[in-house]
Amino acid sequence: MLEIIFSDHYLILYVATIVASILSYKKYFESKLRFLPILLTYILLTEVLGLVIQLDPELNPFITGLYSDYNYIIYYTYSIIFFCYFFYIYWYYTSSKKIKNIIVYGGIAYLIIAIINAYFKSIITERQLFSYTYGSLLLIFSALNFIVENKSNPTLFRRLLFWISTGLITYQSIYFPINIVHSYITQENIDLYYQIAPFHKAAVVVLYSCFIIGFITMKPKIK
């Protein structure tokens, strides 16, 4: 099992992103992005746990028995933490009161939808399609707004949040429709999974490559 886990190229990319975030930490440790290394480490641990559950369902720490090979519950928790963190980041870094209100009320709506979605669709056996799609669209909007607000800033391309936004917009724009398709894949159309999987993998590479570029090229904030 360990050999399979360590041979996963995407986990290596996650580790590389964490290392880059730590090496560049002094550039942004006084900003609201200072918790990024913690979030990235949490994402890595979530992916490792998800892979472990797939390889050996008996090691599932949350579910035993018939559904022990399902890992939806860990991604449900991950999605809430991930979206809420970035909603806060974009709320903080926008200067528009209107946009701040949209993000606040949109974030509250996301949490309500996540709870309702979990009520009607089991977080153990089913994807939380509606809450993820809504959260993804709100995140894309928030990230795009940050870029548009700062488009005239001459140092925009040296800002970490620009590269994070670029990665998030690209990834979420590709993944949320893939997630919808995944939700309707059955044994009868399993070939569809293999057709769209490369697009998901490419989106992951773009996302974390943007993070790494941001950590490397970012300009420290002048005190």
Side-chain angles (χ1 to χ4, degrees), residues 145-212:
N145 175 75
F146 171 80
I147 294 177
V148 171
E149 271 194 15
N150 294 275
K151 65 180 183 299
S152 59
N153 188 327
T155 64
L156 178 60
F157 296 103
R158 297 289 302 278
R159 293 186 65 176
L160 175 58
L161 193 52
F162 166 78
W163 289 102
I164 289 175
S165 300
T166 302
L168 289 174
I169 292 168
T170 304
Y171 177 80
Q172 297 297 340
S173 297
I174 295 173
Y175 181 68
F176 91 79
I178 288 177
N179 191 42
I180 294 173
V181 175
H182 271 167
S183 300
Y184 294 99
I185 288 178
T186 63
Q187 282 300 123
E188 287 70 27
N189 57 8
I190 191 65
D191 289 343
L192 183 58
Y193 168 81
Y194 297 102
Q195 294 174 12
I196 63 177
F199 294 99
H200 183 197
K201 294 177 180 178
V204 172
V205 172
V206 171
L207 173 63
Y208 288 100
S209 296
C210 285
F211 273 53
I212 292 173

Side-chain angles (χ1 to χ4, degrees), residues 33-54:
L33 293 168
R34 61 182 175 274
F35 296 112
L36 264 178
I38 297 175
L39 178 67
L40 293 170
T41 302
Y42 170 66
I43 293 173
L44 172 63
L45 294 176
T46 299
E47 293 293 345
V48 170
L49 180 57
L51 185 57
V52 167
I53 292 173
Q54 284 184 338

Side-chain angles (χ1 to χ4, degrees), residues 24-219:
S24 304
Y25 192 65
K26 64 181 180 180
K27 296 180 182 179
Y28 65 93
F29 78 98
E30 291 184 329
S31 75
K32 294 297 181 180
L33 293 168
R34 61 182 175 274
F35 296 112
L36 264 178
I38 297 175
L39 178 67
L40 293 170
T41 302
Y42 170 66
I43 293 173
L44 172 63
L45 294 176
T46 299
E47 293 293 345
V48 170
L49 180 57
L51 185 57
V52 167
I53 292 173
Q54 284 184 338
L55 296 174
D56 189 351
E58 292 184 3
L59 295 178
N60 191 328
F62 305 107
I63 308 167
T64 58
L66 181 62
Y67 300 113
S68 60
D69 59 337
Y70 284 71
N71 55 22
Y72 292 129
I73 189 171
I74 64 173
Y75 289 105
Y76 173 73
T77 305
Y78 153 74
S79 295
I80 291 176
I81 294 173
F82 181 86
F83 283 130
C84 288
Y85 173 77
F86 281 109
F87 292 158
Y88 169 72
I89 291 297
Y90 288 115
W91 171 86
Y92 181 83
Y93 282 104
T94 181
S95 57
S96 168
K97 185 176 180 180
K98 179 181 178 181
I99 300 298
K100 283 183 181 290
N101 287 335
I102 290 175
I103 295 175
V104 167
Y105 293 120
I108 293 173
Y110 164 73
L111 292 174
I112 294 173
I113 293 172
I115 294 171
I116 294 173
N117 201 167
Y119 179 80
F120 288 101
K121 297 286 187 179
S122 172
I123 60 175
I124 295 176
T125 61
E126 298 181 84
R127 292 174 180 271
Q128 301 299 294
L129 179 61
F130 294 105
S131 60
Y132 189 93
T133 301
Y134 175 85
S136 181
L137 292 173
L138 180 58
L139 183 57
I140 291 171
F141 166 80
S142 303
L144 279 172
N145 175 75
F146 171 80
I147 294 177
V148 171
E149 271 194 15
N150 294 275
K151 65 180 183 299
S152 59
N153 188 327
T155 64
L156 178 60
F157 296 103
R158 297 289 302 278
R159 293 186 65 176
L160 175 58
L161 193 52
F162 166 78
W163 289 102
I164 289 175
S165 300
T166 302
L168 289 174
I169 292 168
T170 304
Y171 177 80
Q172 297 297 340
S173 297
I174 295 173
Y175 181 68
F176 91 79
I178 288 177
N179 191 42
I180 294 173
V181 175
H182 271 167
S183 300
Y184 294 99
I185 288 178
T186 63
Q187 282 300 123
E188 287 70 27
N189 57 8
I190 191 65
D191 289 343
L192 183 58
Y193 168 81
Y194 297 102
Q195 294 174 12
I196 63 177
F199 294 99
H200 183 197
K201 294 177 180 178
V204 172
V205 172
V206 171
L207 173 63
Y208 288 100
S209 296
C210 285
F211 273 53
I212 292 173
I213 292 172
F215 289 126
I216 293 174
T217 63
M218 71 175 296
K219 182 178 181 181

